[in-house]
Amino acid sequence: MVIALAKEHRLRIKRKLQQRPDKLAELKAIVLDFEQFCFRMLKIKNKSGAMVRLVLNDAQRRYATKVFEDLEAGKPVRIIILKARQMGFSTVTEALIYYFTSLQEAKNAFIVAQSSDASSNLFDMFQLYYEKVPAVIQPMTRKNNAKKLTFENPAIRTADRRRNPGLKSKITVQTAESRVLARSDTIHYLHASEVAFWPAKKKKRHLLSLLAALSKEPGSIGIIESTANGMEEFKQIWDAAVKGENDFSPLFFAWFEMPDYRKPIPPGFELTEDELELKAKYGLDDEQLQWRRYTIRNDCGGDSRQFDQEYPSEPDDAFLLSGEGVFDNKFIKRLRDAIQIKGSRHEIDFVKGQIISVSNGELVIYSHPEPGKQYILSADTAKGKEDGDYDSAYVIEARTGEMCAALHGKWDTDLYGKKLDTLGRHYNIALLAVENNNTGESVLNTLFNTSHYPLLYMHKKGSFGWNTNQATRPVMISDFKEAIRDQLYDIYCPELYGECMTLIDKNGKAEADSGCHDDRVMAYSIALQVRQLADKWFEWYKKKQTPEAERPQRERPSRAR
């Protein structure tokens, strides 16, 4: 049981139904079953404007089931929803919030919509729930301010209110256009609606304020939902949820899960090649594909990319780029989906000089080093900002170019250098090329002066590391594009393909879309460049490996920033 029925309701139910035990049992069963509560107690206006019962569709039911599973597990509910347009998730979320707030005591619900009009629509929905619910479970309410339902005794006399205070619960609906949100009250139930469309300058501050006010106790509910709107804070929260970097459970709902999204098939209807692919991949029928075709033509200006953002089939479809993509994302997704080698997770213990197998390690190994083989380890370094790129590195086999390992995370420069040292030694003393821009010089300093790594790449005499500049970067990106497009080498990192899908052309320069990263792209691009020059480095190193030879003395790397 996840709901504690308030005293006000228990007394009213007992008083009205004490002579009808059959009705009493029926009402209790309804109140304890959310889906039955929606159907028997709540009314909504449908798209035609008619007043109808709230009947949950399959997508809404899946969402509600997840909420109650988490509640019954005794943990705070945290869910982020990525969805197609107009699937009714505001309707069912407001039904959940009304259910918990109007039946229990001392609960505070807070709803934030993207605009004043949207917040008015959501508040009207709550008012309709309240007005149409049967009187036996309709809580007392006092006169409310705009967009607030306060469930408590409206009596004028203080003594009457003390004797029977009512629920002392409330539902507040506000707009993200407000200057300040939720600074004082503890929130038990939160709905952040269409977050991707909140004002850009207020979004991050509002989310921080709301989530800080949201109760961390079991039974609390925090719902963030939106249609996608490019690369912004909602996308970042979604990605973090998918990676398990926050406690929000990611729920995605494709357009074809909406039962209304279908249209009659016209005479002479024939499927295009893209439609045949969609039909086979998702099990769609022709009426759904006709609805998609109609919507693209009439609502999306004939742009299928716009349809994918508004009505995605899978999460990657939803997040359109703000610029022109460097790659055909459908092609990239096919490459990513075709990956068969998943790799195993490991941790780099640089103190013991070991690679240790762990379930959630920072290092993914696709193939372990083999005797006699030569490897290249390329590394991109973070920009030194809290919200900057990550540290990223790849190991590839020098002869075939096959991807062998991938390292990704954020570390202090000295720790990153020591991890690279251990990883390079593990792969038969790999040729190690670290980008020397930004914090790379510090990483190289650790590798040379502390770890004494024996085979560091130099872009010119006396200067360690790979240098990305106006001359080398266009060549790097060109070779990278060719390697991806022509599938020249075996790539097993799905996250690298993910960055390919958010690589855009900004005024002739390929770089990550705003809110995205290209650290993996750059690390792999360095590997491809260094591979072309690797033979002479391995030959040089081989000549130096004689029993009496000492470690080669080289100039210190430049510390110029």
Side-chain angles (χ1 to χ4, degrees):
M1 182 175 179
V2 296
I3 191 165
L5 198 63
K7 179 180 178 180
E8 176 187 346
H9 294 306
R10 296 198 307 271
L11 292 174
R12 187 185 297 112
I13 290 170
K14 182 178 180 180
R15 184 173 65 251
K16 292 192 174 184
L17 298 178
Q18 59 182 343
Q19 304 302 324
R20 299 289 305 274
D22 56 329
K23 291 291 185 182
L24 179 61
E26 180 184 10
L27 180 60
K28 286 182 177 179
I30 292 171
V31 167
L32 295 178
D33 184 328
F34 174 69
E35 188 169 353
Q36 280 298 308
F37 179 86
C38 291
F39 178 70
R40 300 287 294 274
M41 303 295 182
L42 301 183
K43 297 289 182 65
I44 61 170
K45 288 183 180 179
N46 64 15
K47 292 180 180 180
S48 301
M51 201 78 66
V52 297
R53 296 175 184 267
L54 175 52
V55 180
L56 302 187
N57 60 42
D58 289 344
Q60 292 170 325
R61 190 177 296 112
R62 176 158 68 93
Y63 162 43
T65 298
K66 173 62 178 171
V67 171
F68 282 92
E69 284 176 354
D70 287 355
L71 288 171
E72 289 166 0
K75 60 183 184 180
V77 178
R78 299 293 183 269
I79 294 174
I80 182 168
I81 297 173
L82 173 61
K83 60 184 180 61
R85 289 190 60 183
Q86 297 183 329
M87 292 188 71
F89 285 103
S90 289
T91 301
V92 70
T93 301
E94 278 27 307
L96 282 163
I97 287 175
Y98 182 82
Y99 175 74
F100 287 113
T101 309
S102 72
L103 295 179
Q104 299 184 108
E105 294 163 340
K107 300 300 181 184
N108 181 26
F110 205 88
I111 295 85
V112 183
Q114 73 271 30
S115 65
S116 296
D117 287 345
S119 63
S120 295
N121 291 337
L122 295 184
F123 183 70
D124 289 346
M125 191 181 298
F126 281 116
Q127 282 193 309
L128 187 60
Y129 288 159
Y130 177 77
E131 291 169 2
K132 298 299 181 181
V133 77
V136 70
I137 57 166
Q138 187 181 63
M140 292 183 289
T141 181
R142 66 176 174 82
K143 187 175 181 180
N144 295 292
N145 298 323
K147 299 179 184 176
K148 182 182 289 188
L149 275 175
T150 304
F151 301 125
E152 60 181 63
N153 194 333
I156 297 175
R157 294 177 56 191
T158 303
D160 292 337
R161 294 198 304 274
R162 285 178 178 173
R163 185 174 59 255
N164 184 13
L167 299 185
K168 289 293 201 179
S169 294
K170 63 181 177 181
I171 298 172
T172 305
V173 183
Q174 287 196 14
T175 170
E177 295 169 345
S178 302
R179 188 175 63 86
V180 177
L181 292 176
R183 281 292 181 186
S184 54
D185 290 345
T186 296
I187 299 172
H188 302 103
Y189 309 122
L190 170 67
H191 177 202
S193 177
E194 293 293 354
V195 168
F197 297 89
W198 288 11
K201 293 183 179 179
K202 300 178 180 179
K203 191 181 307 184
K204 190 171 184 177
R205 184 176 73 250
H206 281 344
L207 284 171
L208 179 63
S209 175
L210 291 167
L211 294 175
L214 179 61
S215 170
K216 311 300 186 291
E217 297 300 313
S220 64
I221 299 175
I223 307 298
I224 297 175
E225 56 84 10
S226 189
T227 309
N229 186 31
M231 309 295 171
E232 40 68 66
E233 281 82 356
F234 176 76
K235 171 71 160 59
Q236 294 171 22
I237 300 172
W238 171 264
D239 286 345
V242 171
K243 294 175 185 176
E245 295 174 352
N246 61 36
D247 289 327
F248 281 86
S249 298
L251 297 183
F252 171 72
F253 297 92
W255 66 269
F256 46 78
E257 295 183 63
M258 186 66 177
D260 295 347
Y261 288 173
R262 55 178 63 246
K263 290 189 75 67
I265 303 167
F269 180 81
E270 292 185 8
L271 296 177
T272 65
E273 187 174 328
D274 283 348
E275 289 170 340
L276 286 168
E277 183 179 335
L278 288 170
K279 184 173 186 175
K281 187 172 184 178
Y282 302 113
L284 307 183
D285 59 46
D286 289 350
E287 288 190 347
Q288 290 173 307
L289 291 166
Q290 169 60 14
W291 181 89
R292 175 182 179 272
R293 185 184 294 184
Y294 177 91
T295 303
I296 290 173
R297 186 169 61 246
N298 294 285
D299 298 349
C300 302
D303 186 350
S304 62
R305 282 193 3 150
Q306 189 67 37
F307 178 88
D308 286 342
Q309 175 175 264
E310 303 291 337
Y311 304 96
S313 298
E314 55 187 69
D316 284 337
D317 290 342
F319 299 103
L320 275 177
L321 308 179
S322 60
E324 192 63 34
V326 168
F327 293 102
D328 176 355
N329 281 358
K330 290 185 178 180
F331 170 69
I332 296 296
K333 283 198 292 183
R334 282 197 292 268
L335 294 180
R336 188 189 61 186
D337 294 344
I339 293 175
Q340 295 183 345
I341 296 178
K342 303 301 181 186
S344 54
R345 290 275 175 180
H346 296 74
E347 189 78 23
I348 300 176
D349 186 343
F350 58 81
V351 176
K352 296 181 179 179
Q354 295 178 348
I355 306 294
I356 303 168
S357 177
V358 295
S359 60
N360 60 344
E362 64 214 4
L363 174 68
V364 180
I365 292 181
Y366 306 107
S367 62
H368 288 275
E370 298 180 29
K373 287 190 174 181
Q374 296 171 325
Y375 299 91
I376 295 161
L377 170 54
S378 61
D380 181 59
T381 59
K383 300 296 188 292
K385 300 177 182 178
E386 184 178 342
D387 57 350
D389 277 348
Y390 289 78
D391 296 312
S392 185
Y394 286 105
V395 178
I396 65 171
E397 188 188 343
R399 184 180 65 83
T400 64
E402 180 180 11
M403 186 177 287
C404 302
L407 177 66
H408 193 257
K410 285 189 178 183
W411 303 282
D412 291 339
T413 54
D414 61 319
L415 299 182
Y416 187 34
K418 292 172 183 177
K419 287 177 183 291
L420 292 173
D421 173 72
T422 302
L423 182 58
R425 293 178 189 274
H426 181 71
Y427 277 90
N428 302 343
I429 310 296
L431 174 57
L432 174 49
V434 179
E435 185 183 44
N436 61 14
N437 307 55
N438 302 301
T439 57
E441 289 285 5
S442 182
V443 175
L444 284 162
N445 181 62
T446 297
L447 283 163
F448 182 76
N449 289 312
T450 304
S451 302
H452 306 301
Y453 191 79
L455 187 52
L456 285 173
Y457 176 86
M458 286 190 290
H459 70 94
K460 63 181 180 180
K461 188 176 181 179
S463 296
F464 289 113
W466 173 267
N467 186 253
T468 302
N469 53 47
Q470 291 182 347
T472 60
R473 197 179 194 281
V475 177
M476 292 169 64
I477 297 299
S478 177
D479 288 353
F480 174 77
K481 289 166 62 177
E482 179 186 14
I484 298 294
R485 185 189 65 239
D486 297 342
Q487 304 174 60
L488 298 181
Y489 312 108
D490 291 328
I491 295 174
Y492 307 124
C493 177
E495 290 81 11
L496 176 58
Y497 286 129
E499 287 192 3
C500 288
M501 289 191 283
T502 57
L503 196 67
I504 66 171
D505 189 323
K506 286 187 178 179
N507 301 318
K509 182 181 179 181
E511 58 184 58
D513 196 10
S514 56
C516 303
H517 300 282
D518 60 5
D519 43 277
R520 291 183 174 94
V521 169
M522 297 310 297
Y524 188 70
S525 296
I526 293 170
L528 296 181
Q529 294 303 303
V530 172
R531 179 174 176 268
Q532 299 174 40
L533 308 167
D535 286 346
K536 70 175 186 179
W537 284 95
F538 287 121
E539 186 64 27
W540 172 85
Y541 182 66
K542 184 178 180 181
K543 289 178 180 179
K544 294 292 183 180
Q545 302 309 297
T546 58
E548 68 278 5
E550 297 181 356
R551 184 173 59 86
Q553 296 301 309
R554 301 171 180 163
E555 298 178 30
R556 287 176 181 266
S558 169
R559 296 196 181 197
R561 298 291 178 183

